[in-house]
Amino acid sequence: MNDRSTLALLAFAGLALAGPGPADSADAGVLAHDVYFTLQDASPEAKAKLVAACRKHLTGHEGTVFFATGVRAEELAREVNDRGYDVSLHVYFRDKAAHDAYQEHPRHKQFIAEMSANWKAVRVFDSWVGHPEGLHSEGPHPEGLRPAKP
């Protein structure tokens, strides 16, 4: 093995032994929990009921830095728009521990118990989004947008 091969092997071994990258650690920033609900009864009343239940049960959890919920924007129908859902939920957490506590919280479980009978499909997208700007901004926000106070 020549010196160049040895260095490459040592560098690779060092990366492998270094552990998880930023996306798997506390340095990754905010954990975005985005949920898309497809309803069996997708009437405006059923959508409004789910949005209201999200606001009732899923706001104010410890470690939440951003919360929003609402219905799909029907007027946006480009080829790239995924139109296979009715209601979306967006809860951003300061870290994985806050997300995990939210998942086990009695209000989250009550939300599922009360609302899941009308769910045809639920898609969950969890991702590290770094440290987005504006999550702690002050001032007026559209209905449903509730940035958490730091």
Side-chain angles (χ1 to χ4, degrees):
M1 188 179 275
N2 65 31
D3 288 337
R4 185 172 267 170
S5 297
T6 302
L7 285 174
L9 180 61
L10 288 173
F12 178 80
L15 289 173
L17 294 174
D24 298 323
S25 70
D27 293 335
V30 173
L31 179 60
H33 178 65
D34 298 306
V35 184
Y36 296 86
F37 301 93
T38 304
L39 305 180
Q40 294 181 50
D41 169 9
S43 67
E45 296 79 18
K47 292 176 190 177
K49 182 179 178 181
L50 180 56
V51 168
C54 287
R55 290 185 181 136
K56 176 182 177 183
H57 296 292
L58 305 179
T59 55
H61 287 270
E62 181 68 29
T64 300
V65 297
F66 177 80
F67 172 87
T69 186
V71 298
R72 178 170 43 91
E74 300 282 342
E75 67 278 14
L76 299 178
R78 298 177 303 142
E79 283 186 32
V80 298
N81 288 102
D82 185 337
R83 300 179 53 76
Y85 72 96
D86 300 300
V87 172
S88 66
L89 169 69
H90 312 275
V91 186
Y92 289 19
F93 298 97
R94 72 172 169 243
D95 53 29
K96 185 177 180 301
H99 166 270
D100 293 349
Y102 161 88
Q103 291 296 331
E104 297 302 320
H105 196 283
R107 287 195 304 130
H108 181 256
K109 291 182 177 189
Q110 183 178 0
F111 167 77
I112 293 168
E114 289 180 11
M115 302 308 299
S116 63
N118 191 34
W119 298 345
K120 183 186 234 179
V122 177
R123 293 183 295 157
V124 178
F125 299 88
D126 292 324
S127 55
W128 293 107
V129 294
H131 299 279
E133 297 296 320
L135 289 183
H136 299 290
S137 61
E138 296 296 325
H141 296 279
E143 182 61 30
L145 279 168
R146 297 183 185 169
K149 303 242 185 228

